[in-house]
Amino acid sequence: MSANEILFLGLDIGGTKCSAVVGRSDGQILTRIQWPSLSSRGPTPMIDELCAHSARLIADHPTITAVGASVGGPLDAERGIVLSPPNLPGWDHIPLRDLLHKRLRLPARIEHDAAACCLAEFRWGRGIGKTRLIYLTCGTGFGAGIVFDGEIYRGAAGRSLEIGHARFRDDGPEAFGKIGSVEAFCAGASFGKLAAWKFPTRWKTPPSSEELADLWRAGDPDASEIIHLNARAVGEVCANLGDLLRPDTILLGSLATHLGPKWVEIVRARFRADALPDTATCPIEPAGLGPRLQDLSALVIAVSAIPSTPDPAPDS
């Protein structure tokens, strides 16, 4: 590594864990650290810890030029303000971008985690060469990131896209503060809620997502119904987004990796059944960056914090 090489610092802030990476503009990660979020503490100790780890990495890598943070929404990406995400208690109107800029003395940018993942896939993953790309997190929550013509699509005033909060059914479990929300049916963390809602006699308290996945793999019919209910819901959301936005590709996050091709095919089948015929040809694929996606999503936001940073050629 050249002593003058320009480097970037990416921060991934989640309700369970946080991580920091140092990397290059081509997506190569040089250093990574991770620690538990302990999010119940609230924002101040979490930000203090985030900045302490960042300061040490900056001291070790003095050519770090910018910092980027990927964080769950809602948020105002243009002003860099976090707006009460469900998985980060107390993060109410936190001016994270300005705090990072002030304390780390570097240009800073923050972005919705789904949008950051979509941009990382566009630059370095399965979205290379696409002009209209959608990424669905399919994880603890259910978020959508959209990149059109190389730029993240946001709502008015820089607001993040919160598809998880949309109404999906009139009944069902509760998630994101709403009964029957998209997140309640589509998020991996909602498996247990779906099971307790659908089979209250068997599951008086929600089982873990891992337990349901294991039961599904073992052929349990109730668990199979829950997994199919979730996958079909994701397929319906894909069809609605596909008909509305006409993307080149829709990429699926965590559940596509954890549950594999069988789950993805259920999603695809429902998508093809619900979408317009010319929409139904849109590929639906697992995200291409695999376990590196979260780290690269933070790094790509740091890279994009410098307007003059060129869009790198993909790795061969």
Side-chain angles (χ1 to χ4, degrees), residues 47 51 55 58 67 95-109:
I47 293 170
C51 289
I58 291 167
V67 57
L96 182 60
R97 183 193 63 192
D98 290 349
L99 288 171
L100 293 174
H101 173 65
K102 180 179 180 180
R103 295 178 64 170
L104 301 179
R105 300 178 181 274
L106 287 171
R109 179 181 174 189

Side-chain angles (χ1 to χ4, degrees), residues 239 242-243 246 268 271-284:
D243 284 343
R246 303 301 188 124
R268 287 177 179 144
F271 168 74
R272 290 192 292 263
D274 277 17
L276 287 168
D278 57 344
T279 300
T281 60
C282 172
I284 294 181

Side-chain angles (χ1 to χ4, degrees), residues 53-65:
H53 286 301
S54 297
R56 286 191 287 271
L57 289 171
I58 291 167
D60 291 341
H61 302 275
T63 60
I64 289 175
T65 306

Side-chain angles (χ1 to χ4, degrees), residues 3-316:
N4 298 318
E5 183 177 23
I6 294 175
L7 299 176
F8 300 88
L9 174 64
L11 307 172
D12 179 39
I13 305 170
T16 303
K17 65 177 177 63
C18 295
S19 62
V21 298
V22 177
R24 302 185 174 116
S25 63
D26 62 358
Q28 182 177 354
I29 292 174
L30 306 178
T31 302
R32 181 185 190 276
I33 58 173
Q34 179 179 310
W35 63 96
S37 302
L38 304 176
S39 59
S40 60
R41 299 176 294 169
T44 299
M46 284 186 68
I47 293 170
D48 287 345
E49 191 170 26
L50 197 73
C51 289
H53 286 301
S54 297
R56 286 191 287 271
L57 289 171
I58 291 167
D60 291 341
H61 302 275
T63 60
I64 289 175
T65 306
V67 57
S70 169
V71 61
L75 58 83
D76 179 340
E78 289 184 0
R79 294 192 298 154
I81 299 174
V82 182
L83 303 170
S84 308
N87 66 335
L88 293 174
W91 285 63
D92 305 322
H93 289 79
I94 300 297
L96 182 60
R97 183 193 63 192
D98 290 349
L99 288 171
L100 293 174
H101 173 65
K102 180 179 180 180
R103 295 178 64 170
L104 301 179
R105 300 178 181 274
L106 287 171
R109 179 181 174 189
I110 73 167
E111 189 55 75
H112 187 274
D113 54 0
C117 287
C118 194
L119 187 61
E121 287 284 345
F122 172 80
R123 282 208 177 197
W124 304 314
R126 200 156 267 161
I128 292 173
K130 307 299 183 186
T131 60
R132 299 177 70 83
L133 184 67
I134 296 175
Y135 169 80
L136 301 175
T137 58
C138 304
T140 303
F142 191 83
I146 297 174
V147 171
F148 287 165
D149 299 320
E151 299 291 334
I152 290 172
Y153 178 83
R154 302 188 187 91
R159 297 302 176 96
S160 56
L161 310 179
E162 299 298 337
I163 193 170
H165 190 257
R167 177 78 63 192
F168 186 70
R169 295 286 188 269
D170 288 334
D171 60 354
E174 180 272 334
F176 211 151
K178 182 183 289 184
I179 290 173
S181 65
V182 166
E183 189 158 306
F185 282 84
C186 296
S190 294
F191 280 0
K193 295 179 182 180
L194 284 170
W197 169 68
K198 197 73 175 174
F199 300 104
T201 302
R202 178 173 181 180
W203 287 296
K204 293 179 173 57
T205 58
S208 70
S209 298
E210 292 77 13
E211 178 185 345
L212 283 167
D214 289 343
L215 287 169
W216 172 58
R217 294 185 185 100
D220 183 276
D222 294 345
S224 179
E225 185 170 342
I226 297 304
I227 301 301
H228 277 73
L229 178 62
N230 162 269
R232 289 194 300 267
V234 174
E236 289 177 37
V237 170
C238 288
N240 290 335
L241 289 173
D243 284 343
L244 179 67
L245 299 173
R246 303 301 188 124
D248 296 314
T249 300
I250 299 174
L251 299 179
L252 305 177
S254 298
L255 286 176
T257 300
H258 295 319
L259 298 182
K262 186 176 178 181
W263 180 85
V264 174
E265 192 48 49
I266 301 168
V267 174
R268 287 177 179 144
R270 189 65 168 200
F271 168 74
R272 290 192 292 263
D274 277 17
L276 287 168
D278 57 344
T279 300
T281 60
C282 172
I284 294 181
E285 302 289 345
L289 294 174
R292 299 184 299 148
L293 179 54
Q294 293 301 123
D295 291 340
L296 290 173
S297 72
L299 182 62
V300 79
I301 299 308
V303 172
S304 63
I306 304 297
S308 60
T309 302
D311 205 13
D315 293 339
S316 58

